[in-house]
């Protein structure tokens, strides 16, 4: 039992360390009530506001490697988070993702 608990805690610490290397602003045990319009919800294991495609690729690779689930969060509306929170990685796309892809009406080309 003690060996299992030690292994679990070391894995958790290693996962947090790797996540923080990829995203220095990563927040652990982050209350989801701070990110939902209803202001309810328990903690996410790891909450990250992703700023770039490179950071997103790294975080998704880490989640796969560590067998963690991933939830993409929009503006926090239309979501209810239980008091027990969210296990895994919660990602909110910010930075370069906030610039919406616009389509020119006249030419139909991406701008």
């Amino acid at each position: 039992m003690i060996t299992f608990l030690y292994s679990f805690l070391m894995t958790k610490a290693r996962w947090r360390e790797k996540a923080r290397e990829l995203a220095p602003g990563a927040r652990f045990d982050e209350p989801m009530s701070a990110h939902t319009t209803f202001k309810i919800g328990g903690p996410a294991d790891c909450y990250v506001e992703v700023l770039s495609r490179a950071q997103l690729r790294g975080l998704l690779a880490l989640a796969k490697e560590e067998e963690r689930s991933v939830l993409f969060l929009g503006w926090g509306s239309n979501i209810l988070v239980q008091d027990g929170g969210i296990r895994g990685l919660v990602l909110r796309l910010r930075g370069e993702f906030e610039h919406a892809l616009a389509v020119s009406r006249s030419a139909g080309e991406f701008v």
Side-chain angles (χ1 to χ4, degrees), residues 32 36-41 76-83 86:
M32 290 307 296
T36 63
T37 55
F38 286 106
K39 302 296 182 202
I40 61 171
S77 59
N78 299 323
I79 185 171
L80 298 173
V81 179
Q82 63 185 358
D83 292 340
I86 300 173

Side-chain angles (χ1 to χ4, degrees), residues 12-75:
K12 184 176 180 179
R14 183 174 49 99
W15 181 68
R16 286 181 173 210
E17 182 180 317
K18 287 181 176 182
R20 193 159 274 134
E21 285 174 11
L22 292 167
R27 294 180 239 164
F28 302 97
D29 302 315
E30 176 72 5
M32 290 307 296
S33 59
H35 305 285
T36 63
T37 55
F38 286 106
K39 302 296 182 202
I40 61 171
D45 287 344
C46 182
Y47 174 86
V48 178
E49 293 187 351
V50 183
L51 303 176
S52 69
R53 283 179 265 169
Q55 190 178 50
L56 177 61
R57 278 190 295 273
L59 288 165
L60 291 175
L62 175 62
K64 183 177 181 179
E65 175 187 321
E66 296 290 326
E67 299 179 355
R68 304 286 176 146
S69 63
V70 177
L71 172 78
F72 284 90
L73 181 70
W75 290 101

Side-chain angles (χ1 to χ4, degrees), residues 19 43 46 50 87 98 104:
C46 182
V50 183
R87 302 292 61 88
E98 291 183 306
S104 168

